[in-house]
Amino acid sequence: ARFVAAHGEEIREKEAALTRRLRAGLAAMPSVTLYGPEAPSVGIVSFNLAGRRSGDVADQLNRLGIGVRAGLHCAPAVHAWLGTLQSGAIRFSPGLYNTAQEMDDTALLLARLLQA
């Protein structure tokens, strides 16, 4: 807690940079639908892959060591508004201990999953 209190702004800046990097990598893929603002204020990237169930994609990524969550994320009203109430979405949360390379690797792996 002391570390976060002392380095909060650095942590927010790093998470924002990682979030922007992952969003940019995913936005370049035509089969990816991104949700949320282009410049989010929190380290969360929510998305779906066309023709893929969010839970199935999350399971594949989790088996490959990329921790994501899928579903309604305690926000069914938001998903109803987005039109994803039946499918939910995949949520990736870049954090302090993630790297830019991991964001690139995640986007690359998702591109490969789309080709499979």
Side-chain angles (χ1 to χ4, degrees):
R2 279 178 265 196
F3 179 82
V4 172
H7 301 280
E9 187 57 32
E10 295 168 58
I11 294 168
R12 281 186 290 282
E13 288 174 12
K14 180 176 182 181
E15 288 177 355
L18 293 172
T19 300
R20 285 191 304 271
R21 189 175 189 115
L22 180 58
R23 283 185 64 86
L26 297 179
M29 297 177 215
S31 297
V32 173
T33 301
L34 285 164
Y35 305 105
E38 288 185 28
S41 58
V42 295
I44 295 175
V45 179
S46 294
F47 62 96
N48 274 317
L49 304 182
R52 306 289 177 104
R53 295 172 35 143
S54 63
D56 294 342
V57 174
D59 289 345
Q60 287 178 297
L61 292 173
N62 285 323
R63 279 193 300 274
L64 295 169
I66 297 174
V68 299
R69 298 294 173 259
L72 301 180
H73 313 294
C74 300
V78 172
H79 283 279
W81 179 74
L82 288 170
T84 58
L85 189 58
Q86 297 304 311
S87 64
I90 303 157
R91 184 186 71 212
F92 187 96
S93 303
L96 174 62
Y97 298 107
N98 289 117
T99 67
Q101 185 63 54
E102 288 173 326
M103 300 306 103
D104 296 344
D105 292 346
T106 298
L108 181 62
L109 183 57
L110 285 164
R112 288 182 182 155
L113 287 176
L114 284 167
Q115 295 172 354

